[in-house]
Amino acid sequence: MSKKQSDYIITRNQNSYEVVIGLEVHAQVLSDSKLFSSSPTKFGAEPNTQVSLVDAAFPGMLPVINEFCIKQAVKTGVGLNAKINKRSIFDRKNYFYADLPQGYQISQYKDPIVGEGSVVLDLVAGEKTIGIERLHLEQDAGKSIHDIDPQNTLVDLNRSGVALMEIVSKPDLRSPDEVNAYIKKLRSIMRYLGTCDGNMQEGSLRADVNVSVRKKGEKKFGTRCEIKNVNSIKFMQMAIEYEANRQVDVIEEGGSIDQETRLFDTKKNETRSMRSKEDAHDYRYFPDPDLLPLEISDDFINNIKKSIPELPDEKKKRFIEKFNLSAYEANILISDIETSKYFEEVIKSSDVKLSTNWITGELFALLNDKNLEISKSPISAKNLSKLINLIKDGTISGKIAKSVFEIMATGDKNPIDIVKEKGLKQQSDPKELEKLIDKVINGNPDKVKEYKSGKEKLFGFFVGQAMKASGGKANPQLINDILKNKLK
Ligand code: ADP
Ligand code: MG
């Protein structure tokens, strides 16, 4: 959840129009092998090195369903609070393309494995539930490469046959901000479940974005355009903004929207027509005769349900109730499963409030700065916990802790050792501090006079001088107390 509203807005006639968005998210199933073959699915392998005869569609090859991928889809369905269909059917979706050697994609059409469900978004304005229409399994196609050879298009079939879950939302989204929250929530749920790594740079999560506009208060939806295959949240938001404004302009000029498939040009920041929208009948769907209807038992489903870990919404609730966090803090800490694990590890032996502040403050800033995921954090949860305990028990001040933290960031050193080696232990002996303060007071008789005659602001000056004299190591609370006493 971001606290600030995004910059993406419908600029044209924003008071009289509303944008309506529905997403078809393609999420790559986290699986070592493909949906119907045993080829590996590693990202970044040499082109055409992960291709079996099935994936290359040699004549006579038969698909064999990968049970693990079925489990992953059901698991995701459970995470989306969705109906699991015990009987589903694999269909052939026929179309011709160079990177589709079969001449059809095996997908699910009328009988998907997962039916209706829902996802809850945490928006600035509160919670909003987005309907899920369905989740079906399908094969990915290969990849056409146009920019290596000037004359020819090259084809890499490594992706051919990789299992995808297509998650279709209802047209419930109303702004680029909501789309941002929706994708993040979906990704978070799948990462908790371990069913999709959600890595958008590697294409594990992409979406077709359906956009229409309508006059506010209008009941009927407008005609939608579908923007194909957008692979980052930022591009989705930019594409929606452009497309909504374009549609409003067309309507305001007296025209009407043609239902079509469009492409988002990320360099020009505009959508362009690719083709008029294909209808289902254009694909000549029919059940794949090589695959029997898929039937799963109650036991199969129940075993999966038992294996579901605590999901983001439950975790958020628990964090708020058990640890007394604000909804805002809880959201930050649960959004990513690795962050929540780190947090729970730290608070095993440390103060919750301090831990929350240090993780969402210093640690996030450090990770951001180094562009690192929390799983690669240069400071382990154990060591951060030790640092927090040093602050809590008064061994070091918060200020000193920041410099210890900086040293820790260079190589996960134990903060206890750092404090010892550098002699950073807080000075908490009242006698020592008193000596120090006497020196400050005796050295500044003019300031003392001014203070006593009412210039109370000068108190900060004395604290500063005393802290400085101690090399920043004095216990600030004690300094305050002693000073107050002496200057009375
Ligand atoms: P298709 O395969 O033809 O694209 P799907 O049912 O797979 O059809 O997906 C349709 C998507 O378009 C869904 O996400 C749905 O919410 C969305 N959608 C449907 N009607 C509209 C509309 N008028 N405006 C925006 N999105 C819409
Ligand atoms: Mg579509």
Side-chain angles (χ1 to χ4, degrees):
M1 192 184 73
S2 76
K3 269 216 157 159
K4 76 179 204 300
Q5 289 287 343
S6 87
D7 305 324
Y8 305 102
I9 45 163
I10 310 310
T11 47
R12 312 269 210 291
N13 294 290
Q14 52 175 307
N15 294 319
S16 45
Y17 282 91
E18 173 180 60
V19 60
V20 172
I21 307 148
L23 294 186
E24 297 159 73
V25 169
H26 298 264
Q28 182 174 331
V29 175
L30 205 55
S31 161
D32 291 338
S33 52
K34 296 184 180 179
L35 184 53
F36 298 112
S37 83
S38 54
S39 308
T41 57
K42 263 217 179 70
F43 178 81
E46 282 293 300
N48 296 310
T49 55
Q50 307 192 144
V51 188
S52 74
L53 296 176
V54 176
D55 312 318
F58 272 52
M61 293 300 115
L62 289 173
V64 176
I65 197 147
N66 179 343
E67 185 179 335
F68 183 70
C69 293
I70 304 295
K71 282 187 179 151
Q72 293 287 67
V74 171
K75 215 174 189 182
T76 308
V78 174
L80 300 176
N81 310 301
K83 177 167 184 286
I84 308 299
N85 293 323
K86 285 162 72 181
R87 186 174 200 268
S88 63
I89 290 174
F90 285 100
D91 294 284
R92 289 188 182 177
K93 180 181 182 180
N94 299 281
Y95 66 92
F96 175 78
Y97 209 75
D99 57 25
L100 188 76
Q102 290 172 145
Y104 58 84
Q105 175 193 31
I106 305 179
S107 179
Q108 296 188 304
Y109 176 45
K110 288 215 169 104
D111 300 282
I113 186 159
V114 175
E116 289 186 325
S118 62
V119 169
V120 178
L121 306 187
D122 298 296
L123 302 168
V124 179
E127 288 189 349
K128 175 172 176 177
T129 302
I130 303 299
I132 299 291
E133 181 73 42
R134 57 191 274 155
L135 176 158
H136 67 250
L137 276 166
E138 63 183 29
Q139 306 175 292
D140 203 352
K143 194 168 140 201
S144 299
I145 302 162
H146 306 288
D147 55 2
I148 293 183
D149 185 308
Q151 255 84 46
N152 299 294
T153 289
L154 306 181
V155 174
D156 175 8
L157 291 182
N158 279 353
R159 292 190 73 109
S160 171
V162 164
L164 301 179
M165 298 179 278
E166 178 168 333
I167 302 167
V168 182
S169 84
K170 306 224 172 190
D172 288 346
L173 297 155
R174 292 290 176 275
S175 70
D177 267 350
E178 291 187 12
V179 167
N180 175 41
Y182 174 73
I183 295 282
K184 284 189 177 148
K185 191 60 179 280
L186 215 54
R187 182 169 59 186
S188 162
I189 291 170
M190 291 191 291
R191 285 172 62 131
Y192 268 67
L193 292 166
T195 57
C196 171
D197 66 22
N199 191 331
M200 297 186 93
Q201 280 99 26
E202 295 181 1
S204 304
L205 199 69
R206 304 164 265 163
D208 300 339
V209 184
N210 295 271
V211 179
S212 67
V213 296
R214 64 177 171 186
K215 280 250 166 74
K216 275 195 182 154
E218 181 81 52
K219 284 255 149 52
K220 250 180 69 188
F221 287 136
T223 303
R224 70 178 153 123
C225 288
E226 178 175 351
I227 308 156
K228 276 279 170 202
N229 217 7
V230 190
N231 63 4
S232 89
I233 294 177
K234 194 168 144 237
F235 289 155
M236 288 176 204
Q237 296 185 301
M238 287 160 68
I240 293 163
E241 182 181 27
Y242 176 88
E243 182 59 20
N245 285 325
R246 183 190 72 82
Q247 291 182 14
V248 170
D249 283 350
V250 169
I251 294 167
E252 285 292 306
E253 281 158 21
S256 63
I257 305 299
D258 297 323
Q259 188 172 339
E260 59 183 1
T261 301
R262 298 178 72 89
L263 184 101
F264 182 60
D265 184 328
T266 54
K267 294 208 178 76
K268 293 190 179 150
N269 185 18
E270 62 182 30
T271 64
R272 272 203 306 276
S273 181
M274 275 167 82
R275 55 178 186 253
S276 76
K277 168 83 180 141
E278 66 287 345
D279 275 315
H281 64 245
D282 295 327
Y283 288 118
R284 301 289 187 272
Y285 276 102
F286 64 87
D288 191 315
D290 290 337
L291 291 160
L292 288 167
L294 175 69
E295 294 190 352
I296 52 180
S297 65
D298 286 325
D299 272 358
F300 184 87
I301 298 172
N302 288 336
N303 279 334
I304 290 171
K305 281 189 176 158
K306 273 186 225 144
S307 76
I308 301 283
E310 182 184 45
L311 293 176
D313 290 343
E314 300 164 65
K315 203 182 278 291
K316 179 182 163 190
K317 233 177 115 201
R318 179 166 65 85
F319 278 14
I320 291 173
E321 281 165 10
K322 195 166 157 199
F323 304 132
N324 218 357
L325 298 183
S326 69
Y328 180 72
E329 290 166 333
N331 265 331
I332 295 177
L333 292 169
I334 58 109
S335 66
D336 172 55
I337 188 163
E338 297 298 335
T339 304
S340 72
K341 278 187 192 154
Y342 190 100
F343 170 74
E344 294 210 80
E345 177 75 26
V346 173
I347 59 168
K348 252 189 218 157
S349 39
S350 295
D351 179 74
V352 172
K353 192 80 211 143
L354 271 175
S355 302
T356 305
N357 292 344
W358 274 83
I359 291 171
T360 60
E362 301 300 315
L363 185 71
F364 277 11
L366 173 74
L367 297 175
N368 215 356
D369 194 44
K370 303 207 166 196
N371 201 11
L372 289 174
E373 303 265 332
I374 199 161
S375 57
K376 302 257 154 62
S377 169
I379 297 177
S380 65
K382 273 217 174 67
N383 276 339
L384 184 61
S385 167
K386 282 183 193 148
L387 179 69
I388 288 164
N389 291 343
L390 290 174
I391 305 167
K392 184 81 187 168
D393 69 16
T395 308
I396 55 175
S397 66
K399 196 158 166 219
I400 294 286
K402 285 189 183 164
S403 53
V404 175
F405 183 89
E406 264 166 41
I407 300 170
M408 291 166 75
T410 62
D412 201 30
K413 293 196 194 89
N414 184 335
I416 298 171
D417 296 341
I418 298 173
V419 169
K420 232 182 252 156
E421 274 164 33
K422 311 242 164 198
L424 295 172
K425 197 164 174 308
Q426 185 158 262
Q427 252 174 279
S428 298
D429 178 356
K431 288 226 176 75
E432 293 288 314
L433 294 181
E434 224 169 292
K435 270 191 219 153
L436 214 140
I437 285 170
D438 285 342
K439 250 190 220 155
V440 172
I441 289 179
N442 294 334
N444 295 280
D446 300 350
K447 293 257 166 32
V448 175
K449 222 188 213 159
E450 280 181 62
Y451 177 82
K452 288 192 170 161
S453 63
K455 206 171 170 194
E456 286 183 6
K457 265 202 217 138
L458 275 175
F459 191 73
F461 164 81
F462 293 112
V463 175
Q465 290 299 307
M467 287 303 290
K468 201 168 153 197
S470 76
K473 287 185 287 188
N475 180 323
Q477 190 56 50
L478 279 175
I479 291 277
N480 261 283
D481 295 347
I482 299 170
L483 259 172
K484 259 191 202 133
N485 226 346
K486 298 231 167 204
L487 289 172
K488 256 206 302 241

